[in-house]
Amino acid sequence: DDLSFVRSDRFLEEWASSHAGVTLVTESLLQSECGKALEQATDRAVIAVPDADFALIALLGYVKGAMPSGDPARGVHESASVDPSASVHETASIGPHVSIGAHARIGADAVIRAHATVGDGASIGERTRVGERVCLGDRCSIGDDGILHPGVVIGADGFGFRQPAPEFGTGPFPVKVPHIGHVEIGHHVEIGANSCVDRATYGVTRIRDGVKIDNLCQIGHNCDIGPGSIICGCCAMGGSTTLGAGVLIGGHVGVADNITLGAGCRISAASGVVGSVPAGEVWGGSPARPLRRHLRKQASLEWLADSIGPLREMLRSGGRDA
C-alpha cells in the first residue's frame, strides 16, 4: 500500500528491504548493476522517471490539490473589516476577522485567511496566499504567487536605536530611530511561519523574486535579499545586509549588518558571519571563514584536545619521557 522514491545509489541498494509496493526511480540509476536487477524484478512495481524528486513533487501537488484546503470562500467574509477605499478583486477570498486598511489592494485569486491584517496602502498580488494572523504593514507589498505562512510579520519597525545622550536632552534610555520606509516582496516568494521582515529606516527592505525563507527568521531593515536565495530556519540578517542571487544559508546562521554575501555563496549551519563573503564560496564557523579553513581549524582543535593530557604528563616528568 506504500509508494517510495529512489534518488541515489545508496537508496537503490536498500530497495530490497523496503516494504513499499511501488517506487519512483531516477532512470539514470537503472544503468548500474543494482538498478538493472531492480528493473527486472517482478514482485513490485518500478516506475522510471527523469528525476525522482521532481516526480514526487508533482505527485504530492496532485494529492494536495485533492485534499480540502480550508481556504475561505471567494468574496469577503461577513466578519471581515474592509476600508471603503480598499480595492479587493472579486475573485479574492477574504476570511473571517481579516482587516484591510485604507487604499490597500488585493489581487485576483488572492487568499487571506482568518485574523490577518493588511495595512493602509499595502498590496497583495495575484494568487498570493496569506496565512492566519499575518500582518502586512502599511505601504508594504508582496507580488504574485507568494505564500506568507501563519504569523509572518512584514513591515514592523527595524531595530534602530542610538545610545542615550542626556546632554542632548534624550533622557537616560536608548533613543529610537523612526522607520519611515517600507518592504517590497517580489513574485514567487515564500516566507515561513513566525518570520519577520522589518521595514526600512528610509527607502526599501527588498525581498526579490523566488526567495524562500524558512520559519522563525529575521530580516533586518534595509536588507536586499537576492533572487532565488534560500534562508533556512532560525536565521537572522542584520540591517542593510545584501545577498546576491542564489545564496544558500543553512539553519541558525547569524549575519552581521552592512555586509554583502556574493551571488551563489553558501553558509553552513550555525555560522556567524561578520564579514562579506565572495561570490560562489562556501563558508562556515563562527566567525565564518572559508569552509575548508574552518574544518582544518576544528581538526586542529580536536588534535590539541587529545594531545593536552600526554603533553601535561610530559611536562610533569620534566621531559624525561619525550
Side-chain angles (χ1 to χ4, degrees):
D1 296 323
D2 297 313
L3 176 143
S4 185
F5 66 106
V6 177
R7 65 157 74 97
S8 71
D9 288 330
R10 179 168 67 89
F11 294 110
L12 193 66
E13 295 169 359
E14 296 177 1
W15 169 243
S17 61
S18 171
H19 296 292
V22 59
T23 186
L24 304 169
V25 182
T26 300
E27 57 190 2
S28 61
L29 298 177
L30 297 175
Q31 305 304 313
S32 68
E33 183 176 339
C34 183
K36 291 176 181 177
L38 181 147
E39 191 175 27
Q40 295 170 3
T42 58
D43 59 331
R44 290 174 291 169
V46 174
I47 302 175
V49 294
D51 186 287
D53 280 318
F54 285 112
L56 185 68
I57 289 170
L59 181 59
L60 291 174
Y62 174 81
V63 173
K64 185 173 182 180
M67 298 170 66
S69 68
D71 287 343
R74 281 189 171 183
V76 179
H77 192 275
E78 60 183 10
S79 66
S81 173
V82 180
D83 189 276
S85 65
S87 172
V88 179
H89 195 277
E90 60 183 8
T91 62
S93 302
I94 311 300
H97 305 290
V98 169
S99 174
I100 299 177
H103 305 290
R105 186 189 67 81
I106 312 299
D109 296 310
V111 176
I112 305 179
R113 299 186 69 154
H115 296 278
T117 301
V118 181
D120 294 350
S123 66
I124 294 173
E126 298 179 1
R127 298 173 299 282
T128 288
R129 302 175 59 83
V130 175
E132 293 84 351
R133 304 179 311 282
V134 167
C135 177
L136 183 65
D138 295 347
R139 298 176 285 108
C140 297
S141 65
I142 178 169
D144 300 338
D145 300 294
I147 300 175
L148 300 181
H149 286 278
V152 167
V153 177
I154 306 296
D157 280 358
F159 194 69
F161 296 88
R162 290 291 302 271
Q163 289 297 317
E167 65 273 22
F168 297 130
T170 62
F173 304 118
V175 180
K176 181 177 175 62
V177 177
H179 286 69
I180 61 173
H182 62 285
V183 178
E184 290 181 3
I185 300 174
H187 305 308
H188 301 281
V189 171
E190 183 166 350
I191 301 179
N194 293 324
S195 289
C196 300
V197 181
D198 290 346
R199 70 173 60 246
T201 311
Y202 33 80
V204 183
T205 301
R206 184 170 280 112
I207 311 294
R208 297 182 184 270
D209 293 351
V211 169
K212 312 300 180 185
I213 299 173
D214 200 356
N215 301 339
L216 298 168
C217 289
Q218 159 66 19
I219 309 298
H221 58 85
N222 293 93
C223 284
D224 188 338
I225 309 300
S229 293
I230 296 176
I231 301 174
C232 296
C234 299
C235 288
M237 307 287 112
S240 299
T241 295
T242 299
L243 273 61
V247 171
L248 176 57
I249 299 180
H252 214 280
V253 169
V255 181
D257 58 340
N258 292 285
I259 65 174
T260 298
L261 307 186
C265 75
R266 298 189 175 193
I267 309 297
S268 65
S271 296
V273 185
V274 296
S276 294
V277 178
E281 294 195 4
V282 182
W283 283 36
S286 186
R289 294 289 185 269
L291 188 59
R292 291 194 178 190
R293 180 178 174 185
H294 166 65
L295 294 176
R296 285 198 302 268
K297 181 185 75 172
Q298 294 302 110
S300 299
L301 289 173
E302 289 292 329
W303 176 86
L304 182 60
D306 293 338
S307 303
I308 198 72
L311 180 60
R312 283 175 176 166
E313 289 299 321
M314 184 186 71
L315 293 174
R316 287 181 186 136
S317 65
R320 290 189 299 273
D321 298 330

